[in-house]
Amino acid sequence: MFGPGSAPLSAFIPSLTYNSFEYFPMDFSNLIYARQSVRAYQSTPVPEEKLQALLEAANRAPSAGNFQAFEIYVVTDPKQRQTLAAATFGQDFVQNAPLSLVFCMHPARCEYQPAEVFAMQDTTIACTFAMLKVTDLGLASCWIGAFSPEKLAQALALPENVKPVAVLAIGYAAENPERTSRRNLEEVVHKL
């Protein structure tokens, strides 16, 4: 807890320098508005330090019962990226992204029932944390939910009890797409 007599907040926040690179974190409101889906990437690899920061962010995501019922598969190999693109119904930008994180649910880790529901929630929250960290690090991403679960599981040699939920294509943006619109709050918010 934070408050009088507790350690300062800075004691809980990691350094803003990750090994060989320095980044300037955005405030949360700016981060939310800066994030957008990008489908064209430079060929520049994502530095290992940035990958580690992404994985650490995903690992800090809230989890039902703290069971952390998810796994993350890191894909950088060009042949594996080509297989990912095929499993995502030919979305070629997946192949061109130098990094993809495949978020999978692992319901057997969850003791709550129905385990699949809680594992799905854990997995999507972890993916969201990674996606926001991508923007914070000056990278770009696109969340892909359109894929063949069977082909993706086969491509990654997933154990039978581990199911793919989302692919997050990541890299340095090679485009600045037009901002997409959002529904008015009146269409999605219901006050009771």
Side-chain angles (χ1 to χ4, degrees):
M1 285 185 68
F2 304 109
S6 69
L9 185 58
S10 61
F12 300 96
I13 299 174
S15 169
L16 299 182
T17 302
Y18 284 93
N19 296 330
S20 65
F21 74 93
E22 184 176 4
Y23 75 100
F24 303 94
M26 298 181 197
D27 92 346
F28 190 70
S29 293
N30 290 338
L31 180 68
I32 293 296
Y33 287 100
R35 193 224 60 85
Q36 65 178 341
S37 294
V38 171
R39 293 175 177 83
Y41 303 95
Q42 299 173 28
S43 60
T44 307
V46 174
E48 183 63 32
E49 296 83 10
K50 288 191 177 190
L51 170 59
Q52 192 62 35
L54 295 173
L55 297 173
E56 288 172 7
N59 199 43
R60 295 298 310 157
S63 167
N66 200 32
F67 294 116
Q68 302 165 46
F70 65 89
E71 296 190 13
I72 305 168
Y73 288 76
V74 178
V75 180
T76 57
D77 178 75
K79 286 187 180 183
Q80 279 294 102
R81 294 182 352 226
Q82 186 174 14
T83 305
L84 277 186
T88 60
F89 307 119
Q91 297 184 71
D92 289 337
F93 69 89
V94 175
Q95 176 179 330
N96 297 329
L99 168 66
S100 284
L101 300 180
V102 182
F103 288 80
C104 301
M105 66 177 185
H106 190 162
R109 288 186 179 161
C110 184
E111 295 176 18
Y112 295 162
Q113 295 301 319
E116 290 78 14
V117 170
F118 295 108
M120 177 73 76
Q121 292 173 359
D122 283 2
T123 306
T124 56
I125 295 169
C127 188
T128 300
F129 269 47
M131 181 180 62
L132 292 173
K133 188 64 177 176
V134 163
T135 303
D136 183 51
L137 293 173
L139 297 166
S141 69
C142 186
W143 180 309
I144 299 105
F147 56 81
S148 163
E150 296 80 16
K151 286 184 180 179
L152 197 51
Q154 183 179 15
L156 299 173
L158 297 180
E160 189 174 319
N161 60 345
V162 175
K163 306 293 183 201
V165 172
V167 176
L168 194 62
I170 303 167
Y172 291 96
E175 68 174 358
N176 186 13
E178 191 173 314
R179 303 297 298 182
T180 56
S181 62
R182 290 288 175 255
R183 295 183 187 276
N184 292 325
L185 288 178
E186 294 78 21
E187 295 181 61
V188 296
V189 176
H190 306 276
K191 297 181 179 179
L192 306 177

